Amino acid sequence: MEREQTRRAVLGGLVGAGVVGASLSPVRELLNQFAPLSGTVWDATRHDRPERVTSPYGDATVSYDEEGVPHISANDEEALSFAAGYVQALDRGFQMDLQRRLFSGRLAEVVGESEVESDRFHRQMMFQEAAEATAEHLMGTEVEPMLSAYADGVTAGFEEGSLELGFRLLDYEPEPWTITDTTLVEKIISWTLTGSFRTLRRARLKEEFGEELTAELYRDRMDHEAPIIREEYWEEEYRLDDAGEQFERPPEATEPAVGADIVDYLSRHEPNEFLGSNSWVISEEYAAGDGPLLSNDPHLELTAPPIWYEMHLDGPEHRVRGAAFPGVPTVVIGESDFAAWGFTNAGSDVIDFYQYESDDETYEYGDETREFEITEQEIVVSGGENQTVEVKRSVHGPVIEESGQQVGLAWTGHAATETTISIYNLTKSTSFEETLDAVSKFDSPTQNFLYADRDGNTLYYTTGQHPIRYTDGDPDRGDRIFDGSAQEGEWGSGFGDGFEPFTRPTWDGFVPFEQQPHVINPEYLSTANQQIIPDDQLEYYFAESYADGYRGERIYDLLDERIESEEPVDMAFLEELGRDTYDGRAAELVEPLVDAVDGTDEEQLQNVAEILASWDYRMEPDEEAPLYFALWMAHYRERVLGEPFAEAGLGSEYYPSDGRIAALDQESRWFGPSGRGPVMRNALRDAVDEIEKAGYEIYGDISHTGVMTHLTELDFLSYPSYPRGGSGYTVWNFGREGPWGGGWEMQVDLSEDGEYLGILAGGNSGRYFDENYDSQVERWANGEYRRLSRERPDDVSITFEEGER
């Protein structure tokens, strides 16, 4: 009944959202779309899955459980993949199509002129060409049949299922799905996790503020890193025989200037650099049961529908349940009959930038004059005039242009990669040795891989191809802009040899898999995007910077305390650990803030200081103190950086992380001549004023699921608002400013009959009128887990029967 009432409220929602204009014809057209029982948008309100589907690949069944999770079973891998593609098209088709349009630079074709700049950026970055190179490389490999069957399944789902509301609102139908569309999803995830223009932003800040002030804000390392690999696991095998010391930049190195316009342009399209994740593994020695424990909650952007799609695959070669990315046929994070695994971002620097001596058509490279490879591409604009974009590349990769300025870049994701093979082999691995072999093929993105199996093994491995840079034959760091014409910052054995974009590289001269940081059978180990291992334990440059170490330090503190207590680690403890809301920023900043308020005659500030002084630094949604701290932190950030950055023409995208701001010395010049105290007090006045004007009372008034908006940014399609604890710096992660957080959270006990817990941030269906559109969001906000079954439901929802289509 509630959903039926919501259907009838949609038109009002569209009007309020501005979808319906004031002129008569758009209103009449939309009313026609909503004509009862026959309008095109009304078609989207019904989600009648076909009971029988013809499959050219063989028989399969799909059983949806009460959460809308498909349990797919088949006796043939291709039949399994066809069915997986079909149900993903039914459940997440609009999301899949929108993301491929975004990264192939074709959004304006359906959205209009507002997306032309986005299309231009994504065309210039050549993500589509990288996906095509990867798809071509995978032809003839063991995954080609699976990918082909999956693509046919998605296309069949598009053709036979009722199209989602998003298609109706934008008035278009999806094109057939291809293998390249699936490999494009890999590039999307790789760019989200490793694409960074930090080097360019830092160079611009140095031009504006100088080296010293910039270094204060953009600190490479923090004092509280709590590295992933602890001292007892440091190994000589991480040291390369031929790489030498790579931590000092060549003394003669200079950094070419970069234009402000192009850095601003690129920064507008940069992934959120504060995205992160948690994972930990506990060996059976310390576990309460007879097997190891593994946890993972990747912190990506939180949207409606979620980035993750939960599914259970049961085929002839493997059974796996967990989370996939819509658009790919395999579970990426989850559990099989043999093992469980997860990923967090490693922070490895796999992108470099180059300036050239050049004109419009040629550039200098060593002692050669080379021609840029240039193509003209048309951007189709719905309701507007089509536009042309020039796509240019050099030996390094794409060359991005804006306002007469240009920069070249090299990124490992532009290679033809084998990550799809890696993930597929991982899901069907039945031994520790097979797992290592599968992980060795994981080319991109660079990740912290954490694993446990039912034989009692545990594993940590840094995955992905990592370049070693050379300038004039000497090893170099990757945290500066290189002179591409002078052949600075060459990767491995050289561009065109060890690495050539848009081909399958030899990876010659990259860090060998065996010498990537790893630990075999750790007793317990945690990752939270912090420094992997101290720099002096590696003989190659690895990362420009890592995430602030608050989460990593907190997780290890709690694990150490539990282990030292000699009380076995059980699932109840892991649930508690996963829901920890202690904020390390507050532990560093609240005491000096309280001291800064002490002695003032402002009663209101004194009252707030007393509340903060007695606070335990936990970001709980029903408390007052975290509300004051969160808004004070936002105003403190602005008080420190807002004015000088604005005067330099720099936006908030240039701001460093809160951890870097917290680490500023109290006499830093960033605070001005009066020092830190007055800045802290003024920020607290700002926060108090905002709270009073808005009528906020508790942290949950500003930290809630209502900020998790739909892909279309239409408010009525966003999730309901439930108070949510945590912050972007707590273990139970929720960055409301993004928003980002643990979109898929899981805990696995690999004991015999051990529990499998999980929760999705939203719902498994992308269809607004489906009861599973937002069926998990309240439980997710409350910190609850679902008990996940390893069995298929008895009732069959869709039967796939072999036959010609």
Side-chain angles (χ1 to χ4, degrees):
M1 182 65 180
E2 181 179 345
R3 286 284 170 180
E4 182 63 24
Q5 292 172 343
T6 304
R7 288 189 191 196
R8 302 184 183 280
V10 166
L11 184 56
L14 290 172
V15 173
V19 175
V20 181
S23 63
L24 181 62
S25 57
V27 175
R28 183 178 293 124
E29 181 180 349
L30 203 74
L31 287 172
N32 288 336
Q33 292 179 22
F34 272 88
L37 306 181
S38 62
T40 57
V41 173
W42 277 85
D43 290 341
T45 69
R46 297 189 297 270
H47 185 24
D48 301 323
R49 300 186 182 99
E51 294 183 359
R52 297 191 176 275
V53 176
T54 300
S55 167
Y57 295 96
D59 296 346
T61 62
V62 176
S63 300
Y64 279 93
D65 63 24
E66 67 278 2
E67 299 293 347
V69 176
H71 300 253
I72 309 168
S73 178
N75 291 322
D76 180 90
E77 291 291 308
E78 293 173 56
L80 189 74
S81 296
F82 180 88
Y86 194 95
V87 298
Q88 283 192 19
L90 295 183
D91 296 337
R92 297 290 190 89
F94 180 66
Q95 178 185 24
M96 292 162 61
D97 190 69
L98 214 60
Q99 68 186 8
R100 69 170 167 174
R101 283 188 172 277
L102 172 63
F103 271 75
S104 62
R106 295 182 56 201
L107 263 186
E109 189 174 324
V110 297
V111 176
E113 196 168 358
S114 64
E115 300 306 317
V116 167
E117 181 183 291
S118 172
D119 282 357
R120 184 161 61 89
F121 168 78
H122 288 93
R123 299 282 186 106
Q124 289 180 313
M125 280 296 300
M126 302 180 72
F127 295 115
Q128 179 71 18
E129 288 82 349
E132 290 169 356
T134 296
E136 181 179 353
H137 174 66
L138 295 177
M139 296 301 97
T141 69
E142 62 187 294
V143 298
E144 179 189 1
M146 172 190 68
L147 293 173
S148 180
Y150 173 81
D152 288 346
V154 174
T155 300
F158 282 158
E159 293 173 348
E160 296 178 0
S162 60
L163 293 179
E164 291 176 56
L165 183 60
F167 289 120
R168 305 297 188 182
L169 294 176
L170 293 177
D171 193 25
Y172 80 98
E173 295 185 1
E175 298 170 355
W177 195 263
T178 68
I179 292 176
T180 297
D181 294 328
T182 292
T183 56
L184 181 61
V185 175
E186 178 198 314
K187 303 306 174 183
I188 294 171
I189 300 305
S190 293
W191 180 251
T192 300
L193 295 172
T194 64
S196 171
F197 299 121
R198 187 180 195 274
T199 300
L200 299 178
R201 291 198 311 277
R202 181 170 180 164
R204 181 158 180 221
L205 257 67
K206 283 191 289 187
E207 292 177 10
E208 297 290 345
F209 301 116
E211 178 74 45
E212 182 181 344
L213 282 175
T214 299
E216 287 188 50
L217 288 183
Y218 276 54
R219 294 182 58 174
D220 293 339
R221 302 292 182 265
M222 303 296 287
D223 295 333
H224 48 72
E225 294 287 4
I228 291 171
I229 300 178
R230 301 170 116 178
E231 186 171 1
E232 60 264 35
Y233 296 122
W234 295 351
E235 299 286 351
E236 287 295 320
E237 60 194 89
Y238 305 145
R239 302 181 179 274
L240 302 181
D241 295 334
D242 58 352
E245 288 292 338
Q246 296 203 30
F247 301 106
E248 295 297 327
R249 184 177 298 138
E252 70 280 5
T254 58
E255 193 164 24
V258 61
D261 289 341
I262 194 166
V263 181
D264 291 346
Y265 167 67
L266 293 173
S267 296
R268 288 197 296 271
H269 300 283
E270 183 178 24
N272 188 331
E273 70 170 329
F274 301 131
L275 296 175
S277 306
N278 302 324
S279 67
W280 49 84
V281 66
I282 313 296
S283 70
E284 60 181 281
E285 176 183 355
Y286 293 112
D290 59 4
L293 304 167
L294 183 134
S295 303
N296 189 206
D297 59 303
H299 308 158
L300 298 177
E301 186 179 4
L302 295 171
T303 62
I307 284 177
W308 297 101
Y309 178 77
E310 188 181 350
M311 62 181 184
H312 180 190
L313 301 175
D314 191 354
E317 298 184 19
H318 70 302
R319 183 206 64 79
V320 59
R321 177 170 185 170
F325 293 114
V328 301
T330 50
V331 166
V332 176
I333 292 174
E335 181 224 47
S336 68
D337 285 335
F338 179 66
W341 61 91
F343 295 93
T344 65
N345 206 22
S348 172
D349 186 354
V350 294
I351 186 170
D352 283 328
F353 304 96
Y354 302 85
Q355 294 281 60
Y356 308 100
E357 295 179 31
S358 65
D359 55 32
D360 289 341
E361 298 180 354
T362 65
Y363 65 103
E364 301 300 313
Y365 183 66
D367 57 3
E368 302 176 31
T369 299
R370 296 195 178 189
E371 292 186 353
F372 288 114
E373 295 183 30
I374 301 173
T375 60
E376 298 281 339
Q377 297 183 15
E378 184 180 42
I379 297 176
V380 177
V381 182
S382 175
E385 184 178 345
N386 293 352
Q387 299 193 25
T388 300
V389 59
E390 185 177 83
V391 178
K392 180 183 289 188
R393 60 171 288 195
S394 71
V395 65
H396 302 106
V399 177
I400 313 299
E401 294 184 313
E402 171 66 15
S403 302
Q405 302 166 3
Q406 71 175 19
V407 64
L409 63 88
W411 174 53
T412 54
H414 280 130
T417 49
E418 295 187 344
T419 300
T420 300
I421 298 175
S422 171
I423 293 295
Y424 178 60
N425 287 339
L426 178 62
T427 63
K428 62 177 187 172
S429 168
T430 59
S431 72
F432 188 72
E433 292 71 25
E434 288 179 0
T435 297
L436 281 175
D437 183 67
V439 174
S440 71
K441 297 180 174 65
F442 196 104
D443 293 327
S444 177
T446 45
Q447 295 284 282
N448 297 307
F449 173 72
L450 210 55
Y451 163 94
D453 65 37
R454 287 184 168 80
D455 286 344
N457 295 299
T458 57
L459 175 68
Y460 165 79
Y461 225 110
T462 308
T463 69
Q465 298 291 349
H466 185 83
I468 300 177
R469 289 93 167 162
Y470 293 91
T471 296
D472 295 330
D474 295 322
D476 203 348
R477 295 173 60 91
D479 57 354
R480 67 183 178 95
I481 302 168
F482 293 113
D483 184 338
S485 293
Q487 295 184 294
E488 293 181 346
E490 291 285 288
W491 282 10
S493 56
F495 287 97
D497 187 2
F499 181 83
E500 182 176 356
F502 312 109
T503 67
R504 177 61 184 172
T506 65
W507 304 114
D508 184 32
F510 281 58
V511 178
F513 175 72
E514 295 78 10
Q515 291 173 298
Q516 298 263 30
H518 64 275
V519 181
I520 294 177
N521 285 317
E523 294 178 334
Y524 64 100
L525 185 145
S526 168
T527 82
N529 317 112
Q530 75 268 44
Q531 185 176 25
I532 292 174
I533 193 169
D535 292 332
D536 61 7
Q537 295 302 306
L538 295 175
E539 287 189 352
Y540 48 87
Y541 164 79
F542 192 80
E544 185 171 358
S545 69
Y546 295 96
D548 297 338
Y550 298 122
R551 287 179 291 112
E553 187 173 45
R554 178 65 174 173
I555 294 169
Y556 265 134
D557 284 348
L558 294 176
L559 286 174
D560 289 344
E561 182 181 334
R562 180 71 170 207
I563 298 299
E564 291 168 5
S565 75
E566 298 186 357
E567 185 176 355
V569 178
D570 56 15
M571 292 290 274
F573 170 76
L574 294 190
E575 288 186 63
E576 182 181 339
L577 174 58
R579 295 296 175 256
D580 185 77
T581 61
Y582 181 88
D583 196 316
R585 298 174 304 167
E588 288 186 338
L589 292 171
V590 165
E591 185 174 342
L593 171 59
V594 171
D595 289 343
V597 174
D598 187 39
T600 67
D601 57 0
E602 298 180 54
E603 183 178 354
Q604 193 172 35
L605 293 190
Q606 291 283 7
N607 291 338
V608 174
E610 288 180 13
I611 292 170
L612 291 172
S614 61
W615 179 39
D616 61 3
Y617 309 143
R618 296 179 185 274
M619 304 296 285
E620 294 296 331
D622 57 352
E623 293 185 8
E624 187 178 16
L627 169 66
Y628 283 112
F629 175 75
L631 292 183
W632 171 81
M633 188 72 225
H635 287 288
Y636 181 58
R637 192 185 306 128
E638 285 298 319
R639 284 281 181 173
V640 174
L641 304 176
E643 184 175 335
F645 274 52
E647 291 176 353
L650 302 170
S652 60
E653 65 271 17
Y654 286 85
Y655 288 3
S657 68
D658 284 355
R660 267 65 178 177
I661 296 173
L664 290 173
D665 185 83
Q666 61 180 339
E667 300 301 328
S668 170
R669 284 189 289 158
W670 283 107
F671 296 120
S674 300
R676 185 175 65 178
V679 178
M680 287 184 154
R681 284 194 301 274
N682 288 333
L684 188 58
R685 291 189 189 99
D686 296 339
V688 170
D689 288 345
E690 181 181 355
I691 289 168
E692 286 186 344
K693 289 177 182 178
Y696 300 140
E697 296 180 352
I698 56 174
Y699 183 52
D701 290 339
I702 64 169
S703 181
H704 52 76
T705 58
V707 299
M708 296 160 63
T709 59
H710 190 262
L711 300 168
T712 62
E713 298 183 359
L714 294 174
D715 290 342
F716 79 96
L717 293 176
S718 299
Y719 285 141
S721 182
Y722 300 108
R724 172 60 153 82
S727 75
Y729 295 84
T730 59
V731 177
W732 194 30
N733 198 257
F734 183 61
R736 63 186 178 85
E737 299 91 346
W740 70 86
W744 166 250
E745 303 175 1
M746 75 172 195
Q747 310 265 14
V748 185
D749 182 353
L750 288 150
S751 302
E752 185 176 359
D753 300 324
E755 285 187 308
Y756 184 8
L757 308 180
I759 192 72
L760 199 64
N764 215 41
S765 175
R767 294 177 173 270
Y768 176 67
F769 297 103
D770 190 306
E771 64 181 356
N772 289 307
Y773 179 75
D774 55 12
S775 59
Q776 299 181 51
V777 68
E778 184 176 10
R779 284 171 288 173
W780 178 82
N782 290 336
E784 301 173 21
Y785 286 98
R786 295 162 36 228
R787 266 59 183 173
L788 306 185
S789 172
R790 298 178 174 94
E791 305 296 328
R792 300 193 310 273
D794 293 332
D795 295 337
V796 174
S797 307
I798 306 175
T799 299
F800 291 81
E801 299 173 328
E802 185 171 8
E804 293 185 7
R805 294 187 60 84

